[in-house]
């Protein structure tokens, strides 16, 4: 009962702080993921571009952010790039200053890392769809815009959901890294609680259980999405056997 009291809401417990930290973790994850997906498509298109400098830059982007540890990317972005931008702003407008919030730094850094892997998910999904779909749409007179959004994208998601689902789980866990730049996510709150109560095992066990719950719920949601995206395709594939 003494340990449960540590999770109570109010002045005597850490329940409200942990709940707020959970909301910050979820907010960062849900804000980052759409940005990362959009960047994944842009980076893939850059890597297959007919313009050589664009192709080289996109491939370098993937190599760099897949090679750097996520925490190093976060620290470089938060400290070094913030200092560089602040220097430029002071040079242009001496009376102005610039400060990047930990939330924004985490969003940008995690988006860069996840999109580097996401571009490979897009590549594999497009290869699974096949060039024949593009050619068939072109023969029907569809524009490239309509071809992608009406023909390719609905089929692409069926192949991309498993890969993006795995990246979502990685993103959920990587949000814990923002605790090093003092964003009050669930890991940072747990560290504050540990420093106050001297109960590391209990609070680490609590946040471990929360992460396991989040990943379990995400896995179930992913399976639902896969089943929904595969409706009709499974029957068609079975009829072709």
């Amino acid at each position: 009962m003494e340990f449960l009291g540590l999770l109570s809401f109010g002045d005597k417990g850490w329940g409200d702080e942990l709940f707020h930290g959970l909301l910050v973790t979820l907010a960062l994850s849900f804000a980052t993921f759409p940005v990362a997906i959009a960047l994944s498509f842009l980076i893939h298109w850059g890597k297959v571009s007919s313009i050589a400098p664009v192709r080289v830059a996109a491939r370098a982007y993937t190599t760099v952010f897949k090679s750097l540890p996520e925490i190093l990317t976060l620290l470089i972005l938060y400290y070094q790039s913030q200092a560089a931008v602040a220097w430029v702003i002071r040079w242009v407008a001496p009376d102005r200053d610039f400060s990047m919030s930990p939330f924004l730094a985490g969003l940008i850094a995690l988006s860069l890392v996840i999109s580097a892997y996401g571009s490979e998910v897009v590549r594999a999904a497009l290869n699974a769809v096949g060039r024949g779909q593009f050619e068939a749409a072109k023969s029907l007179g569809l524009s490239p815009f309509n071809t992608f959004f009406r023909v390719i994208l609905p089929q692409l998601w069926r192949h991309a959901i498993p890969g993006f689902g795995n990246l979502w789980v990685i993103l959920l866990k990587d949000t814990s890294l923002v605790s090093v730049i003092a964003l009050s996510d669930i890991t940072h709150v747990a560290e504050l609680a540990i420093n106050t109560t001297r109960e590391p095992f209990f609070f680490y066990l609590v946040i471990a259980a929360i992460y396991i719950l989040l990943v379990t719920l995400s896995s179930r949601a992913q399976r639902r999405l896969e089943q929904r995206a595969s409706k009709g395709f499974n029957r068609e594939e079975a009829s072709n056997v």
Side-chain angles (χ1 to χ4, degrees), residues 140-213:
L140 294 174
L142 294 178
S143 66
F145 180 87
N146 285 329
T147 296
F148 180 76
F149 283 99
R150 294 189 177 186
V151 178
I152 303 302
L153 190 59
Q155 299 179 69
L156 181 147
W157 280 123
R158 183 169 71 98
H159 301 286
I161 286 174
F164 279 129
N166 290 335
L167 290 179
W168 166 256
V169 170
I170 293 172
L171 173 61
L172 270 177
K173 295 184 292 185
D174 281 353
T175 54
S176 62
L177 297 175
V178 299
S179 62
V180 302
I181 56 174
L183 181 64
S184 296
D185 73 314
I186 192 170
T187 303
H188 183 68
V189 171
E191 291 172 352
L192 295 177
I194 290 168
N195 291 335
T196 302
T197 64
R198 298 294 188 268
E199 294 290 349
F201 179 76
F202 174 72
F203 282 102
Y204 283 141
L205 190 63
V206 168
I207 63 171
I210 292 174
Y211 278 114
I212 290 172
L213 177 61

Side-chain angles (χ1 to χ4, degrees), residues 61-202:
Y61 175 101
T62 302
T63 300
V64 168
F65 290 112
K66 286 174 67 176
S67 302
L68 291 178
E70 289 88 338
I71 192 169
L72 183 59
T73 301
L74 177 63
L75 293 174
I76 290 174
L77 180 74
Y78 185 62
Y79 291 108
Q80 298 306 119
S81 63
Q82 183 173 205
V85 173
W87 181 85
V88 172
I89 291 177
R90 284 196 297 269
W91 183 73
V92 175
D95 58 335
R96 297 291 181 88
D97 200 1
F98 173 78
S99 178
M100 181 183 294
S101 70
F103 187 94
L104 179 60
L107 188 154
I108 296 174
L110 292 174
S111 295
L112 295 176
V113 173
I114 296 299
S115 63
Y117 291 96
S119 65
E120 297 300 314
V121 174
V122 173
R123 178 190 62 81
L126 283 173
N127 287 341
V129 172
R131 292 295 307 172
Q133 298 293 326
F134 289 92
E135 295 169 358
K138 184 178 180 180
S139 68
L140 294 174
L142 294 178
S143 66
F145 180 87
N146 285 329
T147 296
F148 180 76
F149 283 99
R150 294 189 177 186
V151 178
I152 303 302
L153 190 59
Q155 299 179 69
L156 181 147
W157 280 123
R158 183 169 71 98
H159 301 286
I161 286 174
F164 279 129
N166 290 335
L167 290 179
W168 166 256
V169 170
I170 293 172
L171 173 61
L172 270 177
K173 295 184 292 185
D174 281 353
T175 54
S176 62
L177 297 175
V178 299
S179 62
V180 302
I181 56 174
L183 181 64
S184 296
D185 73 314
I186 192 170
T187 303
H188 183 68
V189 171
E191 291 172 352
L192 295 177
I194 290 168
N195 291 335
T196 302
T197 64
R198 298 294 188 268
E199 294 290 349
F201 179 76
F202 174 72

